[in-house]
Amino acid sequence: MPDVDKQPIKMLNDRLLVQVPQSEGERKSKTGLLIPATAQMSKRLTWAEVVAVGPNVRTIEQGDNVLFNPEDRFEVEVRGDDYIILRERDVHAVASPRLEEGSTGLYL
């Protein structure tokens, strides 16, 4: 089998390749308490940056940030970095500067 580390990767169908920022591990509450990465939050959604999109993805582009349920994911390691593969239908929201026109008025 050829060396997978040296081959280009193309997402297929409605799949997204996203990466969760390293800062998602530990976080602070509004009062300043440190919440460790191992703490379980019930049904907490997660933001990630889109690295690649499949040809059938309609509303999401590379560089967008997407909100998804961390339980609906497949993890993969590519060239030593951890990524997550999602379906477009598993994304709850998209955040991007390009969406300002017709915006709901919510800003992150």
Side-chain angles (χ1 to χ4, degrees):
M1 185 167 144
D3 188 3
V4 176
D5 288 342
K6 296 183 181 185
Q7 295 180 354
I9 296 172
K10 178 180 179 180
M11 300 307 294
L12 301 176
N13 300 318
D14 67 340
R15 301 303 195 268
L16 304 165
L17 186 68
V18 301
Q19 189 170 36
V20 177
Q22 297 298 330
S23 63
E24 284 292 315
E26 293 182 346
R27 55 190 182 276
K28 285 189 177 185
S29 69
K30 287 184 179 181
T31 59
L33 295 174
L34 183 65
I35 302 170
T38 56
Q40 289 292 331
M41 302 289 288
S42 62
K43 298 293 181 182
R44 182 177 177 92
L45 299 177
T46 302
W47 286 101
E49 182 179 352
V50 177
V51 176
V53 296
N56 296 334
V57 174
R58 296 172 291 160
T59 58
I60 301 168
E61 296 179 6
Q62 184 177 351
D64 288 351
N65 287 302
V66 294
L67 185 66
F68 68 98
N69 182 349
E71 294 175 5
D72 299 333
R73 68 184 191 179
F74 297 99
E75 295 181 16
V76 64
E77 183 179 325
V78 178
R79 298 181 185 108
D81 293 324
D82 293 324
Y83 296 94
I84 297 170
I85 297 176
L86 301 172
R87 292 181 178 181
E88 184 178 23
R89 69 180 183 201
D90 294 332
V91 172
H92 296 278
V94 179
S96 174
R98 68 181 173 79
L99 301 175
E100 285 187 29
E101 200 172 301
S103 174
T104 62
L106 299 173
Y107 297 93
L108 300 176

XYZ file of all heavy atoms in Angstrom:
853
model
N 0.853 -1.183 0.000
C 0.000 0.000 0.000
C 0.897 1.244 0.000
O 1.858 1.313 0.739
C -0.886 -0.021 1.245
C -1.878 1.101 1.281
S -3.091 0.772 2.559
C -3.348 2.413 3.124
N 0.568 2.257 -0.791
C 1.375 3.479 -0.835
C 1.361 4.198 0.505
O 0.464 4.029 1.314
C 0.703 4.328 -1.908
C -0.258 3.450 -2.615
C -0.530 2.279 -1.736
N 2.331 5.059 0.702
C 2.442 5.833 1.931
C 1.305 6.852 1.989
O 1.278 7.812 1.239
C 3.795 6.536 1.981
C 4.050 7.208 3.314
O 3.197 7.081 4.214
O 5.104 7.833 3.459
N 0.339 6.645 2.904
C -0.843 7.489 3.016
C -0.472 8.908 3.413
O -1.135 9.869 3.035
C -1.839 6.880 4.034
C -3.027 7.785 4.236
C -2.283 5.508 3.577
N 0.622 9.097 4.172
C 1.014 10.423 4.630
C 1.371 11.370 3.492
O 1.354 12.576 3.656
C 2.210 10.326 5.587
C 1.811 9.748 6.931
O 0.613 9.736 7.239
O 2.703 9.299 7.660
N 1.699 10.832 2.322
C 2.156 11.680 1.231
C 1.110 11.840 0.132
O 1.390 12.428 -0.889
C 3.445 11.112 0.659
C 4.556 11.140 1.686
C 5.846 10.664 1.131
C 6.890 10.707 2.238
N 8.196 10.383 1.788
N -0.095 11.319 0.330
C -1.129 11.423 -0.688
C -2.103 12.538 -0.338
O -2.421 12.754 0.831
C -1.894 10.104 -0.793
C -1.047 8.970 -1.286
C -1.852 7.683 -1.380
O -2.998 7.630 -0.983
N -1.244 6.652 -1.915
N -2.605 13.254 -1.345
C -3.625 14.264 -1.081
C -4.926 13.584 -0.645
O -5.189 12.439 -0.993
C -3.780 14.984 -2.416
C -3.161 14.118 -3.431
C -2.219 13.190 -2.735
N -5.739 14.318 0.093
C -7.001 13.782 0.589
C -8.133 14.636 0.045
O -8.073 15.869 0.087
C -7.029 13.783 2.127
C -5.949 12.845 2.643
C -8.393 13.378 2.650
C -5.751 12.921 4.134
N -9.178 13.986 -0.463
C -10.353 14.676 -0.976
C -11.570 14.116 -0.247
O -11.765 12.905 -0.205
C -10.487 14.448 -2.484
C -11.706 15.087 -3.085
C -11.777 14.810 -4.571
C -13.016 15.447 -5.153
N -13.115 15.201 -6.583
N -12.381 15.000 0.326
C -13.596 14.558 0.998
C -14.638 14.199 -0.060
O -14.696 14.810 -1.124
C -14.133 15.654 1.926
C -13.155 16.054 3.016
S -12.527 14.685 4.004
C -14.009 14.162 4.837
N -15.475 13.219 0.255
C -16.481 12.749 -0.685
C -17.885 13.112 -0.219
O -18.127 13.339 0.972
C -16.377 11.233 -0.848
C -15.031 10.711 -1.336
C -15.033 9.191 -1.362
C -14.714 11.268 -2.708
N -18.804 13.172 -1.152
C -20.234 13.389 -0.911
C -20.499 14.601 -0.033
O -20.054 15.684 -0.328
C -20.865 12.118 -0.346
C -20.717 10.962 -1.314
O -20.888 11.132 -2.503
N -20.376 9.794 -0.806
N -21.232 14.407 1.066
C -21.624 15.524 1.939
C -20.778 15.579 3.203
O -21.212 16.078 4.223
C -23.108 15.404 2.315
C -23.377 14.196 3.201
O -22.553 13.256 3.217
O -24.403 14.192 3.895
N -19.539 15.090 3.116
C -18.683 15.018 4.301
C -17.848 16.282 4.483
O -17.453 16.938 3.527
C -17.740 13.821 4.222
C -18.403 12.474 4.101
C -19.359 12.214 5.256
N -19.740 10.828 5.371
C -20.799 10.292 4.798
N -21.595 11.028 4.060
N -21.090 9.020 4.970
N -17.589 16.587 5.768
C -16.751 17.717 6.158
C -15.591 17.197 6.990
O -15.776 16.310 7.829
C -17.528 18.702 7.028
C -18.812 19.279 6.467
C -19.614 19.919 7.585
C -18.487 20.284 5.402
N -14.419 17.738 6.785
C -13.265 17.459 7.636
C -13.057 18.703 8.484
O -12.848 19.796 7.944
C -12.021 17.165 6.796
C -10.782 16.723 7.572
C -11.009 15.341 8.191
C -9.573 16.692 6.658
N -13.184 18.563 9.811
C -13.083 19.712 10.710
C -12.035 19.445 11.773
O -11.685 18.297 12.049
C -14.444 20.043 11.377
C -15.501 20.342 10.331
C -14.900 18.930 12.296
N -11.549 20.537 12.363
C -10.572 20.424 13.436
C -11.029 21.297 14.602
O -11.322 22.474 14.430
C -9.196 20.859 12.953
C -8.102 20.570 13.949
C -6.727 20.790 13.349
O -6.526 21.686 12.546
N -5.781 19.972 13.742
N -11.098 20.687 15.778
C -11.476 21.400 16.989
C -10.235 22.109 17.517
O -9.180 21.494 17.628
C -12.034 20.423 18.047
C -12.358 21.139 19.339
C -13.255 19.704 17.511
N -10.336 23.397 17.829
C -9.168 24.114 18.365
C -8.657 23.465 19.648
O -9.445 22.923 20.423
C -9.700 25.518 18.651
C -10.982 25.623 17.918
C -11.502 24.236 17.732
N -7.360 23.522 19.860
C -6.760 22.937 21.058
C -7.308 23.569 22.326
O -7.326 22.965 23.372
C -5.234 23.083 21.010
C -4.594 22.352 19.864
C -4.802 20.850 19.911
O -4.918 20.259 20.975
N -4.879 20.226 18.756
N -7.764 24.805 22.253
C -8.272 25.510 23.431
C -9.599 24.948 23.918
O -10.093 25.351 24.958
C -8.430 26.999 23.123
O -9.383 27.176 22.095
N -10.204 24.015 23.173
C -11.480 23.442 23.576
C -11.335 22.499 24.758
O -12.318 22.097 25.340
C -12.130 22.678 22.412
C -12.743 23.570 21.380
C -13.961 24.318 21.888
O -14.819 23.722 22.552
O -14.030 25.514 21.627
N -10.120 22.134 25.133
C -9.911 21.217 26.239
C -10.398 21.801 27.547
O -11.508 21.540 27.992
N -9.585 22.624 28.175
C -9.978 23.271 29.417
C -10.670 24.578 29.095
O -10.383 25.224 28.107
C -8.749 23.540 30.282
C -8.096 22.288 30.799
C -6.909 22.599 31.693
O -6.443 23.743 31.698
O -6.455 21.688 32.380
N -11.605 24.967 29.937
C -12.278 26.247 29.750
C -12.593 26.848 31.108
O -12.555 26.166 32.115
C -13.534 26.081 28.905
C -14.505 25.071 29.434
C -15.593 24.785 28.408
N -16.540 23.862 28.948
C -16.431 22.546 28.949
N -15.379 21.994 28.410
N -17.350 21.778 29.474
N -12.904 28.127 31.107
C -13.225 28.824 32.352
C -14.694 29.217 32.360
O -15.244 29.603 31.327
C -12.370 30.086 32.518
C -10.952 29.790 32.912
C -10.228 31.066 33.273
C -8.820 30.727 33.743
N -8.120 31.900 34.219
N -15.293 29.139 33.536
C -16.665 29.611 33.688
C -16.658 31.132 33.753
O -15.600 31.757 33.861
C -17.294 29.021 34.950
O -16.676 29.583 36.098
N -17.838 31.748 33.726
C -17.915 33.214 33.800
C -17.369 33.740 35.119
O -16.904 34.861 35.200
C -19.363 33.662 33.629
C -19.857 33.515 32.228
C -21.262 34.055 32.099
C -21.732 33.922 30.675
N -23.089 34.446 30.485
N -17.404 32.918 36.160
C -16.887 33.346 37.460
C -15.403 33.067 37.619
O -14.833 33.372 38.656
C -17.660 32.651 38.594
O -17.520 31.237 38.447
C -19.118 33.050 38.583
N -14.763 32.467 36.602
C -13.328 32.247 36.641
C -12.903 30.858 37.077
O -11.715 30.583 37.188
N -13.856 29.959 37.324
C -13.504 28.588 37.700
C -12.994 27.832 36.490
O -13.567 27.912 35.398
C -14.714 27.859 38.280
C -15.257 28.400 39.599
C -16.547 27.679 39.966
C -14.240 28.244 40.701
N -11.908 27.075 36.672
C -11.338 26.284 35.597
C -12.087 24.962 35.496
O -12.184 24.216 36.472
C -9.848 26.027 35.857
C -9.106 25.277 34.771
C -9.066 26.109 33.492
C -7.698 24.971 35.221
N -12.635 24.673 34.311
C -13.361 23.425 34.076
C -12.439 22.522 33.257
O -12.111 22.843 32.113
C -14.675 23.684 33.322
C -15.548 24.664 34.106
C -15.421 22.377 33.074
C -16.740 25.168 33.343
N -12.004 21.390 33.809
C -11.070 20.522 33.082
C -11.724 19.868 31.867
O -12.948 19.744 31.789
C -10.675 19.470 34.122
C -11.764 19.490 35.128
C -12.346 20.860 35.115
N -10.896 19.450 30.911
C -11.387 18.820 29.689
C -12.126 17.527 29.982
O -12.981 17.113 29.201
C -10.219 18.561 28.745
N -11.820 16.881 31.107
C -12.453 15.611 31.437
C -13.849 15.777 32.032
O -14.568 14.809 32.175
C -11.582 14.829 32.436
O -11.355 15.660 33.580
C -10.268 14.430 31.806
N -14.243 17.000 32.376
C -15.572 17.242 32.946
C -16.632 17.023 31.877
O -16.519 17.510 30.764
C -15.672 18.656 33.498
N -17.650 16.275 32.202
C -18.728 15.982 31.265
C -19.819 17.039 31.362
O -20.319 17.323 32.427
C -19.335 14.602 31.556
C -18.427 13.453 31.207
C -18.237 13.333 29.706
O -19.095 13.692 28.927
N -17.087 12.822 29.303
N -20.162 17.624 30.238
C -21.268 18.562 30.162
C -22.363 17.854 29.368
O -22.100 17.327 28.293
C -20.855 19.841 29.436
C -19.694 20.578 30.051
S -20.071 21.369 31.595
C -21.075 22.708 31.021
N -23.572 17.834 29.902
C -24.633 17.123 29.208
C -25.030 17.862 27.930
O -25.317 19.053 27.945
C -25.844 16.960 30.120
O -26.348 18.217 30.474
N -24.976 17.169 26.830
C -25.416 17.671 25.529
C -24.819 19.021 25.146
O -25.478 19.890 24.639
C -26.943 17.752 25.486
C -27.632 16.437 25.647
C -27.373 15.553 24.463
C -28.102 14.232 24.633
N -27.858 13.338 23.549
N -23.553 19.214 25.402
C -22.874 20.464 25.040
C -22.383 20.348 23.598
O -21.637 19.426 23.252
C -21.713 20.717 25.983
C -21.005 22.021 25.699
C -19.907 22.268 26.716
N -19.186 23.465 26.421
C -19.477 24.662 26.911
N -20.487 24.783 27.744
N -18.769 25.704 26.601
N -22.750 21.298 22.757
C -22.306 21.323 21.369
C -20.912 21.931 21.289
O -20.496 22.672 22.173
C -23.289 22.120 20.510
C -24.720 21.563 20.467
C -25.608 22.482 19.648
C -24.757 20.160 19.922
N -20.188 21.629 20.210
C -18.799 22.045 20.053
C -18.607 22.791 18.733
O -19.220 22.442 17.726
C -17.881 20.799 20.063
O -18.078 20.090 21.273
C -16.431 21.176 19.938
N -17.734 23.806 18.745
C -17.357 24.532 17.528
C -16.081 23.935 16.955
O -15.194 23.521 17.704
C -17.103 26.005 17.831
C -18.344 26.785 18.076
C -18.839 27.150 19.287
C -19.252 27.292 17.104
N -20.004 27.861 19.121
C -20.278 27.968 17.797
C -19.297 27.250 15.709
C -21.338 28.588 17.139
C -20.351 27.880 15.052
C -21.352 28.535 15.761
N -15.982 23.893 15.629
C -14.774 23.423 14.955
C -14.606 24.181 13.642
O -15.576 24.684 13.075
C -14.854 21.920 14.688
N -13.366 24.256 13.157
C -13.087 24.921 11.883
C -13.094 23.895 10.757
O -12.502 22.816 10.872
C -11.735 25.619 11.927
C -11.426 26.361 10.649
C -10.094 27.079 10.663
O -9.455 27.134 11.732
O -9.693 27.563 9.594
N -13.720 24.248 9.649
C -13.802 23.363 8.484
C -12.488 23.423 7.722
O -12.026 24.489 7.333
C -14.979 23.769 7.565
C -15.016 22.882 6.329
C -16.292 23.696 8.331
N -11.883 22.256 7.516
C -10.606 22.152 6.817
C -10.814 21.760 5.359
O -10.115 22.226 4.465
C -9.695 21.129 7.534
C -8.396 20.927 6.795
C -9.446 21.555 8.967
N -11.813 20.888 5.099
C -12.103 20.440 3.735
C -13.574 20.065 3.638
O -14.183 19.659 4.627
C -11.223 19.247 3.377
N -14.135 20.196 2.428
C -15.544 19.856 2.195
C -15.671 18.951 0.981
O -14.877 19.026 0.046
C -16.412 21.124 1.987
C -16.428 21.983 3.221
C -15.955 21.918 0.801
N -16.670 18.090 1.015
C -16.956 17.224 -0.117
C -17.703 17.982 -1.210
O -18.231 19.074 -0.982
N -17.810 17.411 -2.413
C -18.423 18.101 -3.546
C -19.929 18.331 -3.396
O -20.478 19.210 -4.053
C -18.123 17.182 -4.735
C -17.910 15.833 -4.125
C -17.313 16.085 -2.776
N -20.611 17.581 -2.544
C -22.058 17.735 -2.388
C -22.448 18.585 -1.188
O -23.625 18.656 -0.843
C -22.734 16.367 -2.299
C -22.565 15.578 -3.586
O -22.401 16.149 -4.653
N -22.587 14.269 -3.475
N -21.487 19.227 -0.539
C -21.786 20.131 0.575
C -22.283 21.442 -0.032
O -21.623 22.023 -0.884
C -20.536 20.356 1.456
C -20.808 21.402 2.518
C -20.110 19.042 2.088
N -23.463 21.912 0.424
C -24.097 23.056 -0.232
C -23.894 24.387 0.478
O -23.785 25.409 -0.167
C -25.596 22.791 -0.375
C -25.883 21.605 -1.294
C -27.321 21.236 -1.263
N -27.577 20.668 0.078
C -28.762 20.582 0.629
N -29.821 21.022 0.002
N -28.907 20.056 1.825
N -23.869 24.399 1.807
C -23.910 25.684 2.516
C -22.680 25.991 3.354
O -22.622 27.033 3.986
C -25.137 25.724 3.449
O -25.048 24.627 4.358
C -26.423 25.643 2.667
N -21.705 25.105 3.371
C -20.532 25.277 4.225
C -19.291 25.321 3.348
O -19.177 24.562 2.387
C -20.432 24.123 5.247
C -21.690 24.090 6.110
C -19.190 24.254 6.107
C -21.840 22.848 6.948
N -18.368 26.229 3.691
C -17.127 26.358 2.936
C -15.924 26.164 3.841
O -16.025 26.298 5.064
C -17.056 27.749 2.299
C -18.131 28.008 1.273
C -18.053 29.407 0.679
O -17.081 30.143 0.987
O -18.959 29.759 -0.085
N -14.795 25.876 3.217
C -13.539 25.748 3.956
C -13.268 27.053 4.699
O -13.454 28.140 4.160
C -12.403 25.440 2.993
C -11.078 25.198 3.679
C -9.997 24.817 2.685
O -10.254 24.582 1.518
N -8.777 24.771 3.156
N -12.872 26.961 5.969
C -12.592 28.133 6.785
C -13.760 28.546 7.666
O -13.580 29.324 8.596
N -14.960 28.046 7.387
C -16.115 28.336 8.238
C -15.948 27.643 9.584
O -15.203 26.664 9.702
C -17.414 27.828 7.608
C -17.858 28.638 6.405
O -17.261 29.698 6.151
O -18.805 28.197 5.731
N -16.661 28.119 10.585
C -16.748 27.444 11.872
C -18.129 26.820 11.967
O -19.126 27.469 11.628
C -16.532 28.425 13.026
C -15.087 28.833 13.118
O -14.205 28.003 13.280
N -14.822 30.120 12.983
N -18.189 25.561 12.410
C -19.459 24.857 12.492
C -19.709 24.371 13.914
O -18.784 24.062 14.653
C -19.511 23.664 11.507
C -19.495 24.142 10.069
C -18.371 22.693 11.741
N -20.983 24.326 14.276
C -21.422 23.868 15.586
C -22.033 22.483 15.416
O -22.922 22.286 14.577
C -22.462 24.846 16.148
C -22.963 24.593 17.557
C -21.828 24.791 18.565
C -24.115 25.539 17.871
N -21.533 21.508 16.200
C -22.012 20.133 16.057
C -22.028 19.434 17.404
O -21.426 19.895 18.373
C -21.132 19.359 15.069
C -19.737 19.104 15.570
C -19.408 17.894 16.148
C -18.757 20.077 15.477
C -18.133 17.661 16.627
C -17.482 19.854 15.943
C -17.165 18.638 16.526
N -22.720 18.313 17.466
C -22.776 17.481 18.654
C -21.553 16.559 18.640
O -21.381 15.776 17.708
C -24.058 16.646 18.653
C -24.217 15.788 19.881
O -23.302 15.630 20.679
N -25.390 15.222 20.030
N -20.693 16.622 19.652
C -19.481 15.802 19.637
C -19.751 14.294 19.652
O -18.866 13.505 19.348
C -18.719 16.221 20.894
C -19.541 17.196 21.604
C -20.756 17.501 20.798
N -20.975 13.891 19.950
C -21.303 12.457 19.926
C -21.547 11.961 18.505
O -21.490 10.775 18.247
C -22.520 12.196 20.802
C -22.243 12.470 22.268
C -23.484 12.329 23.134
O -24.547 11.921 22.613
O -23.386 12.634 24.326
N -21.839 12.868 17.545
C -22.117 12.507 16.147
C -20.885 12.706 15.286
O -20.890 13.501 14.356
C -23.250 13.375 15.586
C -24.543 13.202 16.320
O -24.755 12.130 16.892
O -25.351 14.151 16.321
N -19.813 12.004 15.588
C -18.580 12.265 14.854
C -17.745 11.005 14.685
O -17.911 10.019 15.403
C -17.748 13.308 15.578
C -17.197 12.819 16.908
C -16.472 13.914 17.615
N -15.735 13.408 18.760
C -15.000 14.152 19.528
N -14.873 15.429 19.273
N -14.365 13.647 20.547
N -16.834 11.089 13.722
C -15.831 10.058 13.498
C -14.482 10.750 13.548
O -14.266 11.742 12.860
C -16.025 9.394 12.123
C -17.337 8.674 12.000
C -18.409 9.273 11.371
C -17.488 7.416 12.527
C -19.620 8.623 11.256
C -18.693 6.749 12.417
C -19.762 7.357 11.784
N -13.575 10.258 14.371
C -12.248 10.869 14.508
C -11.266 10.172 13.584
O -11.349 8.971 13.358
C -11.775 10.762 15.952
C -12.635 11.545 16.914
C -12.150 11.466 18.354
O -10.994 11.057 18.572
O -12.926 11.819 19.245
N -10.312 10.958 13.068
C -9.282 10.420 12.191
C -7.999 11.212 12.413
O -8.034 12.393 12.729
C -9.728 10.491 10.705
C -9.903 11.914 10.246
C -8.750 9.761 9.812
N -6.867 10.537 12.267
C -5.570 11.204 12.362
C -4.968 11.279 10.963
O -4.879 10.273 10.261
C -4.633 10.428 13.286
C -3.302 11.113 13.489
C -2.385 10.351 14.437
O -2.892 9.753 15.390
O -1.171 10.357 14.196
N -4.579 12.486 10.562
C -3.969 12.692 9.251
C -2.672 13.455 9.460
O -2.672 14.555 10.008
C -4.907 13.506 8.321
C -4.242 13.761 6.972
C -6.236 12.801 8.145
N -1.572 12.849 9.052
C -0.240 13.468 9.164
C 0.050 13.956 10.577
O 0.596 15.022 10.785
C -0.092 14.597 8.157
C -0.208 14.140 6.723
C -0.032 15.279 5.738
N -0.270 14.793 4.405
C -1.349 15.096 3.690
N -2.258 15.903 4.158
N -1.497 14.600 2.490
N -0.383 13.193 11.576
C -0.095 13.513 12.970
C -1.069 14.480 13.622
O -0.942 14.768 14.800
N -2.043 15.000 12.876
C -3.048 15.908 13.436
C -4.387 15.195 13.544
O -4.739 14.374 12.688
C -3.209 17.157 12.557
C -1.971 18.036 12.567
O -1.330 18.132 13.637
O -1.647 18.614 11.521
N -5.153 15.529 14.579
C -6.461 14.925 14.790
C -7.544 15.753 14.127
O -7.580 16.984 14.274
C -6.761 14.796 16.288
C -5.845 13.787 16.958
O -5.510 12.770 16.325
O -5.468 14.009 18.125
N -8.434 15.083 13.406
C -9.548 15.724 12.726
C -10.826 14.953 13.028
O -10.789 13.832 13.527
C -9.331 15.745 11.204
C -8.151 16.571 10.771
C -6.905 15.973 10.577
C -8.272 17.936 10.562
C -5.815 16.732 10.176
C -7.187 18.695 10.166
C -5.968 18.081 9.971
O -4.887 18.838 9.583
N -11.940 15.560 12.659
C -13.246 14.931 12.824
C -13.949 14.972 11.476
O -13.891 15.977 10.761
C -14.082 15.681 13.877
C -13.381 15.595 15.232
C -15.493 15.119 13.952
C -13.971 16.494 16.278
N -14.615 13.879 11.128
C -15.407 13.814 9.903
C -16.878 13.910 10.292
O -17.356 13.158 11.144
C -15.132 12.514 9.123
C -13.674 12.484 8.670
C -16.084 12.399 7.931
C -13.269 11.206 7.979
N -17.582 14.848 9.671
C -19.006 15.066 9.918
C -19.770 15.001 8.607
O -19.202 15.220 7.543
C -19.251 16.452 10.519
C -18.584 16.819 11.826
C -18.806 18.300 12.111
C -19.166 15.978 12.944
N -21.068 14.765 8.704
C -21.959 14.951 7.567
C -22.529 16.359 7.650
O -22.708 16.888 8.739
C -23.106 13.953 7.605
C -22.670 12.545 7.380
C -23.846 11.640 7.400
N -23.391 10.292 7.120
C -24.180 9.257 7.041
N -25.467 9.394 7.245
N -23.688 8.079 6.777
N -22.832 16.950 6.522
C -23.392 18.295 6.523
C -24.676 18.359 7.350
O -24.916 19.318 8.063
C -23.651 18.770 5.096
C -24.143 20.205 5.029
C -24.349 20.698 3.617
O -24.537 19.871 2.697
O -24.330 21.923 3.438
N -25.480 17.309 7.311
C -26.751 17.312 8.049
C -26.556 17.269 9.568
O -27.477 17.547 10.312
C -27.631 16.155 7.597
C -27.095 14.809 8.016
C -27.984 13.701 7.562
N -27.476 12.432 8.044
C -27.791 11.290 7.515
N -28.621 11.238 6.490
N -27.293 10.184 8.004
N -25.359 16.914 10.044
C -25.084 16.869 11.477
C -24.619 18.214 12.037
O -24.379 18.336 13.232
C -24.028 15.793 11.787
C -24.547 14.390 11.499
O -25.778 14.181 11.588
O -23.724 13.515 11.194
N -24.495 19.218 11.179
C -24.069 20.546 11.607
C -25.300 21.352 12.010
O -26.284 21.415 11.270
C -23.296 21.257 10.472
C -23.009 22.703 10.826
C -21.998 20.504 10.191
N -25.244 21.965 13.191
C -26.374 22.738 13.708
C -26.322 24.205 13.311
O -27.362 24.854 13.203
C -26.429 22.632 15.237
C -26.683 21.251 15.712
N -27.937 20.702 15.778
C -25.837 20.265 16.118
C -27.872 19.459 16.225
N -26.604 19.170 16.432
N -25.117 24.767 13.125
C -24.981 26.181 12.773
C -23.634 26.409 12.108
O -22.696 25.627 12.283
C -25.090 27.053 14.026
N -23.556 27.508 11.344
C -22.323 27.907 10.670
C -22.026 29.351 11.055
O -22.928 30.192 11.063
C -22.461 27.812 9.130
C -21.176 28.255 8.442
C -22.834 26.406 8.713
N -20.767 29.638 11.378
C -20.334 31.002 11.676
C -19.231 31.369 10.689
O -18.256 30.641 10.551
C -19.810 31.100 13.106
N -19.443 32.496 9.985
C -18.468 32.940 8.997
C -18.722 34.405 8.673
O -19.882 34.830 8.615
C -18.600 32.099 7.727
O -17.767 32.596 6.715
N -17.661 35.196 8.444
C -17.861 36.596 8.056
C -18.667 36.740 6.763
O -19.365 37.723 6.571
C -16.445 37.124 7.858
C -15.566 36.198 8.613
C -16.258 34.866 8.603
N -18.623 35.750 5.880
C -19.336 35.835 4.606
C -20.849 35.773 4.779
O -21.598 36.065 3.856
C -18.869 34.740 3.653
C -19.258 33.353 4.078
C -18.749 32.273 3.128
N -19.022 30.972 3.671
C -20.193 30.363 3.626
N -21.206 30.938 3.039
N -20.357 29.166 4.157
N -21.326 35.422 5.958
C -22.758 35.281 6.198
C -23.416 36.552 6.720
O -24.587 36.538 7.064
C -23.006 34.149 7.212
C -22.499 32.771 6.810
C -22.698 31.784 7.945
C -23.198 32.293 5.554
N -22.685 37.657 6.790
C -23.229 38.885 7.369
C -24.487 39.373 6.672
O -25.394 39.879 7.298
C -22.164 39.990 7.365
C -21.132 39.778 8.432
C -20.185 40.948 8.542
O -20.590 42.075 8.244
O -19.040 40.705 8.928
N -24.573 39.222 5.376
C -25.766 39.652 4.656
C -26.916 38.709 4.999
O -26.801 37.500 4.902
C -25.494 39.603 3.147
C -26.432 40.444 2.350
C -25.991 40.522 0.900
O -24.863 40.991 0.674
O -26.754 40.089 0.050
N -28.019 39.256 5.466
C -29.158 38.435 5.861
C -28.950 37.768 7.193
O -29.535 36.743 7.483
N -28.107 38.342 8.022
C -27.754 37.761 9.317
C -28.909 37.801 10.290
O -29.817 38.612 10.196
C -26.556 38.513 9.896
O -26.286 38.071 11.189
N -28.862 36.929 11.302
C -29.873 36.883 12.353
C -29.583 37.904 13.446
O -30.398 38.097 14.327
C -29.904 35.502 13.026
O -28.635 35.268 13.639
C -30.209 34.408 12.026
N -28.411 38.531 13.398
C -28.047 39.500 14.421
C -27.210 38.890 15.532
O -26.837 39.555 16.481
N -26.886 37.605 15.453
C -26.043 36.945 16.439
C -24.599 37.026 15.979
O -24.295 36.774 14.813
C -26.443 35.472 16.605
C -27.862 35.236 17.086
C -28.171 33.754 17.044
C -28.049 35.779 18.476
N -23.716 37.380 16.879
C -22.301 37.484 16.533
C -21.477 36.749 17.559
O -21.757 36.804 18.745
C -21.856 38.952 16.477
C -22.574 39.714 15.394
C -23.733 40.400 15.669
C -22.089 39.688 14.105
C -24.401 41.086 14.674
C -22.746 40.373 13.096
C -23.910 41.058 13.397
O -24.554 41.719 12.392
N -20.452 36.051 17.104
C -19.576 35.287 18.003
C -18.259 35.989 18.144
O -17.778 36.624 17.288
C -19.363 33.883 17.459
C -20.647 33.087 17.307
C -20.334 31.743 16.667
C -21.321 32.878 18.625
